Amino acid sequence: PELKAVFIETFSKNTIILIMTETTRTAKSSSRYLLTGAKGFIGTWIVKQLIERGDSPWIFDLDEKAHRLRQLLTDEQLERINFVQGDVTNFDDLDRAVTENGITHLIHLAALQVPFCAADPLRGARVNVLGTLNVFEVVRKRRDLVKRIVYASSVAVFGPEELYGHTTVHEGAPMQPNTHYGVFKQANEGSARIYYLNDGISSVGLRPGTVYG
């Protein structure tokens, strides 16, 4: 079934399971996966699971240094990874990575975390907001190629617990982020919704909570 722009709140290992379930839903032997932010914690485990099920993912990043991947994967598995150098804030870099490699599925995880966005909001916005807009713009331009987008939002779109009466915060609760990072993620969810309304581009956004391991 066609997916609209939806947002799923989830945590830790379940985040990876949900992403893999979504990428499997439309997967065929010709599916080709490009990941941004693949060297982070969640991204590393997604790469591992893609490889273990028989895929050879493409990693889009500024450099090939990836200590987490080297800790988690065998040498044989590392050889299955395709690296594409590029900057997520540069539309042309991302567009070229998609077209030259025939990418059909985009998993967008690249983002600067809370402290870095607080220290440099302008850079945080370029990576977290402009980078996400670039992903959607590439898909709008290359709709003949890309069939699915999954991207990481965050529970940071919500505010501190006292704003919600110290009770369970449900998915539809008002967004009251109190960090630049949370505001940027809120903007990305809004952008995803507009791309669906204006262009019919379906996407799945997930809101990881505390991720550790």
Side-chain angles (χ1 to χ4, degrees):
E2 183 176 355
L3 291 173
K4 299 182 180 180
V6 299
F7 316 109
I8 303 171
E9 180 181 351
T10 184
F11 297 89
S12 195
K13 185 177 179 181
N14 290 336
T15 303
I16 299 165
I17 293 172
L18 280 167
I19 291 175
M20 297 308 301
T21 299
E22 174 51 31
T23 56
T24 301
R25 184 175 300 177
T26 56
K28 298 178 181 179
S29 58
S30 59
S31 296
R32 299 163 78 90
Y33 298 88
L34 179 73
L35 289 85
T36 72
K39 297 188 294 187
F41 179 81
I42 295 175
T44 299
W45 282 94
I46 293 174
V47 169
K48 177 179 173 62
Q49 293 196 25
L50 283 169
I51 290 174
E52 288 180 346
R53 76 179 196 186
D55 291 297
S56 296
W58 279 257
I59 289 179
F60 180 82
D61 213 310
L62 290 171
D63 60 63
E64 294 187 68
K65 297 177 182 177
H67 69 277
R68 288 190 181 91
L69 287 169
R70 295 192 179 281
Q71 289 176 338
L72 190 61
L73 304 179
T74 65
D75 290 341
E76 182 180 354
Q77 288 174 324
L78 287 169
E79 291 177 0
R80 296 274 302 279
I81 296 173
N82 306 284
F83 175 75
V84 182
Q85 186 173 27
D87 185 343
V88 73
T89 68
N90 186 307
F91 173 85
D92 291 334
D93 283 358
L94 190 57
D95 184 48
R96 184 167 52 253
V98 168
T99 56
E100 290 183 355
N101 298 289
I103 298 302
T104 61
H105 292 65
L106 265 167
I107 302 175
H108 175 51
L109 307 171
L112 295 182
Q113 298 302 311
V114 175
F116 302 103
C117 291
D120 191 344
L122 293 177
R123 182 167 179 257
R126 284 193 294 271
V127 174
N128 294 13
V129 180
L130 178 60
T132 301
L133 288 172
N134 281 337
V135 169
F136 277 91
E137 281 296 301
V138 167
V139 173
R140 182 162 69 166
K141 183 179 180 180
R142 306 298 179 185
R143 298 179 72 166
D144 57 325
L145 276 176
V146 184
K147 309 304 180 186
R148 179 71 70 234
I149 310 172
V150 177
Y151 70 94
S153 182
S154 171
V155 293
V157 297
F158 301 116
E161 61 179 338
E162 56 266 23
L163 296 179
Y164 303 92
H166 297 278
T167 186
T168 301
V169 180
H170 298 284
E171 183 178 338
M175 297 184 194
Q176 303 181 68
N178 62 347
T179 63
H180 285 297
Y181 174 81
V183 170
F184 297 156
K185 291 295 187 178
Q186 181 183 10
N188 292 341
E189 291 190 7
S191 293
R193 181 175 62 86
I194 299 303
Y195 275 106
Y196 177 74
L197 293 176
N198 291 351
D199 304 291
I201 297 174
S202 296
S203 61
V204 172
L206 298 108
R207 294 171 175 161
T210 302
V211 180
Y212 61 91

